[in-house]
Amino acid sequence: MHINQLSLSHVRNLEKVSLGFSPTLNIFYGPNAAGKSSVLEALYYLGNGRSFRTAKHNKIINDNYSDFIIFSNLVSSGVDHKLGMSRNRSGEISIKLDSEPVKRLSTLAKLFPVQLLSPEQYDLLVKGPGARRKQLDWGVFHVEHSVLGLWQKVQKILKHRNELLKKRVQYSEVTAWDKQLVTLSLQVTQLREAYCDKIRPIFKELSRAFLSDIDVDIELYPGWTDKGNNGLAAIYESQFNKDRQLGFTQSSIHKADLKFYIDEKKRAGDYLSRGQQKLLITVFKLAQLQIMQQYGKQTPLFLLDDIGAELDTNHQELLLQILSEQPQEQQIFITCVHLEPLTPLIKRYNEAKVFHVEHGVVKAIDEL
Ligand SMILES: Nc1ncnc2c1ncn2[C@@H]1O[C@H](COP(=O)(O)OP(=O)(O)OP(=O)(O)O)[C@@H](O)[C@H]1O
């Protein structure tokens, strides 16, 4: 997919902005606090119905206004669409696709997939499993949309099961739920495993370029440990008393983790320097992008926030080299303070567009 045009009103320090994009490469450069990341934030919001920088929507609304509006013309699966969104200070959100209200965020996710690489994500390896699970499921969903329906069924069953556990019922009263839970959990796990198998070789190969002397790997922890190989149903039975005591189900896909290892089972988060962790996350995001290009329902937007700030010159050049080799249908948005290191990349894409951003004003640069 790609986005042709974006109009913003009252997004952070961007009061009113209207931009026409290149279907390939778009670069926003300018000093700190100019409003560059806010443009990416608006793009991300359109695809996800939320920000990547804050969970508090009021922070995004410009201080002098009561709402923000984001509007776009885009091409998704070869079809032109108009997608608009507004949100006010009470949190009311209105999303319209071709003038029709959109009720589910999954509609946006299918229509407008966005892959993001930003400094906010560089601590993924040392965070709890939830953030890594989200990243994994983003990838699985865009290769296999049906995973969402399975996930939602699991959540419903877990809710019922946990209510029963709190009522201190006998084991016989949860067995019917457990049967469904086992089937669905294994289906989701199978899709996650299949995704890990697809991404692993790409991730390893890209890592060799970025982290040459380190052997990286990923492993899916499904959300339970089955040491005796007795199966998930047996785990539910053996854990039932403890589950009832706790009032919730300990083992299921909601506890899954995507574990990153280096050099044979050392946890990457414990061993890698902060700089190496950033490189590993960069590589993983690039591998996810490649998977989307090969197997996804459509190519996502690729947003790279603050591209120069976190990488040394060699690794920045390597990243730029990879970006310059992307397929033509890949639309890329980059923010940076200094434009000069990106000149070779701009030259590679003859349709590239460059925007200068300062004090919330975004101007297209015609001649470099
Ligand atoms: N709700 C708001 N209303 C008005 N201005 C805001 C609001 N929220 C943030 N700002 C300001 O908007 C600007 C936007 O910063 P943004 O993060 O987009 O800049 P940037 O160009 O990406 O900077 P950097 O290079 O430092 O990352 C900042 O000056 C910030 O103080």
Side-chain angles (χ1 to χ4, degrees):
M1 64 95 40
H2 68 271
I3 176 163
N4 290 323
Q5 204 261 332
L6 179 74
S7 303
L8 309 176
S9 300
H10 322 154
V11 174
R12 299 220 186 241
N13 68 338
L14 308 167
E15 285 204 28
K16 240 182 194 337
V17 169
S18 191
L19 305 168
F21 292 136
S22 156
T24 56
L25 178 66
N26 298 277
I27 295 175
F28 300 86
Y29 79 101
N32 293 133
K36 307 178 297 292
S37 305
S38 304
V39 178
L40 298 200
E41 191 174 28
L43 287 169
Y44 186 91
Y45 216 106
L46 267 183
N48 294 277
R50 65 181 173 85
S51 165
F52 62 87
R53 297 204 284 185
T54 177
K56 295 182 181 146
H57 62 270
N58 271 344
K59 288 201 169 174
I60 300 162
I61 303 171
N62 183 286
D63 290 341
N64 301 321
Y65 294 87
S66 56
D67 61 2
F68 70 72
I69 303 166
I70 309 172
F71 180 82
S72 67
N73 289 315
L74 58 96
V75 182
S76 179
S77 301
V79 181
D80 286 324
H81 291 287
K82 290 182 190 309
L83 176 65
M85 186 179 284
S86 66
R87 192 156 197 174
N88 66 21
R89 291 210 176 267
S90 323
E92 288 155 14
I93 185 164
S94 157
I95 308 172
K96 286 203 175 150
L97 176 62
D98 303 322
S99 307
E100 294 294 319
V102 174
K103 299 214 169 64
R104 289 168 192 273
L105 290 181
S106 58
T107 308
L108 289 186
K110 282 180 193 164
L111 181 86
F112 196 127
V114 179
Q115 172 67 310
L116 168 78
L117 179 62
S118 78
E120 283 80 6
Q121 300 169 321
Y122 287 140
D123 56 358
L124 193 71
L125 301 178
V126 290
K127 273 187 168 168
R132 289 186 294 277
R133 192 168 55 240
K134 236 184 215 166
Q135 207 54 58
L136 166 69
D137 284 340
W138 178 90
V140 178
F141 171 78
H142 284 296
V143 173
E144 187 49 69
H145 286 342
S146 66
V147 74
L148 182 66
L150 298 172
W151 232 121
Q152 285 165 341
K153 283 184 192 160
V154 169
Q155 275 173 328
K156 259 192 193 158
I157 294 173
L158 281 173
K159 193 167 163 257
H160 284 303
R161 191 180 193 270
N162 291 345
E163 278 165 12
L164 291 172
L165 291 170
K166 285 192 185 92
K167 286 186 193 157
R168 310 219 153 233
V169 298
Q170 295 302 306
Y171 178 59
S172 58
E173 289 186 55
V174 298
T175 47
W177 294 113
D178 283 8
K179 216 168 156 194
Q180 293 181 54
L181 197 52
V182 169
T183 308
L184 291 163
S185 298
L186 295 180
Q187 284 172 339
V188 171
T189 302
Q190 222 168 37
L191 293 174
R192 285 173 170 167
E193 284 284 11
Y195 182 77
C196 288
D197 289 345
K198 279 193 180 82
I199 202 168
R200 186 175 290 109
I202 300 171
F203 176 57
K204 278 172 156 288
E205 195 186 322
L206 282 168
S207 297
R208 273 192 281 280
F210 278 84
L211 290 150
S212 48
D213 49 346
I214 297 170
D215 184 29
V216 304
D217 207 350
I218 47 168
E219 188 184 282
L220 177 70
Y221 167 68
W224 59 88
T225 306
D226 189 6
K227 278 190 188 135
N229 227 356
N230 299 315
L232 187 54
I235 291 177
Y236 282 134
E237 188 174 354
S238 69
Q239 286 182 348
F240 178 73
N241 284 337
K242 182 81 179 161
D243 282 358
R244 193 170 50 179
Q245 211 178 332
L246 294 167
F248 65 85
T249 307
Q250 300 169 80
S251 299
S252 183
I253 54 166
H254 67 300
K255 295 279 181 181
D257 192 1
L258 180 65
K259 298 192 173 182
F260 288 80
Y261 290 111
I262 60 157
D263 297 339
E264 310 223 344
K265 291 274 177 178
K266 288 183 190 162
R267 276 177 49 107
D270 294 340
Y271 280 88
L272 295 182
S273 73
R274 258 192 70 76
Q276 287 172 316
Q277 290 186 34
K278 288 173 196 168
L279 293 174
L280 197 79
I281 299 308
T282 302
V283 165
F284 186 71
K285 295 278 181 161
L286 288 169
Q288 282 200 304
L289 187 71
Q290 204 170 316
I291 290 288
M292 280 283 280
Q293 291 163 353
Q294 279 178 24
Y295 303 98
K297 307 291 177 204
Q298 53 183 337
T299 311
L301 255 57
F302 191 26
L303 313 182
L304 296 103
D305 193 18
D306 228 347
I307 194 173
E310 304 276 352
L311 303 177
D312 62 41
T313 313
N314 286 347
H315 288 110
Q316 200 185 133
E317 276 172 14
L318 193 54
L319 176 58
L320 293 176
Q321 179 63 32
I322 289 171
L323 292 177
S324 75
E325 291 162 0
Q326 292 300 305
Q328 272 300 309
E329 67 274 15
Q330 179 61 62
Q331 195 177 26
I332 302 171
F333 293 83
I334 295 175
T335 73
C336 58
V337 175
H338 303 292
L339 192 59
E340 204 271 326
L342 300 181
T343 320
L345 183 66
I346 296 167
K347 284 195 178 134
R348 151 74 179 76
Y349 286 97
N350 45 23
E351 282 181 279
K353 276 201 163 183
V354 176
F355 301 88
H356 182 252
V357 189
E358 196 154 5
H359 302 307
V361 178
V362 187
K363 275 196 187 136
I365 305 290
D366 295 328
E367 292 284 325
L368 284 179

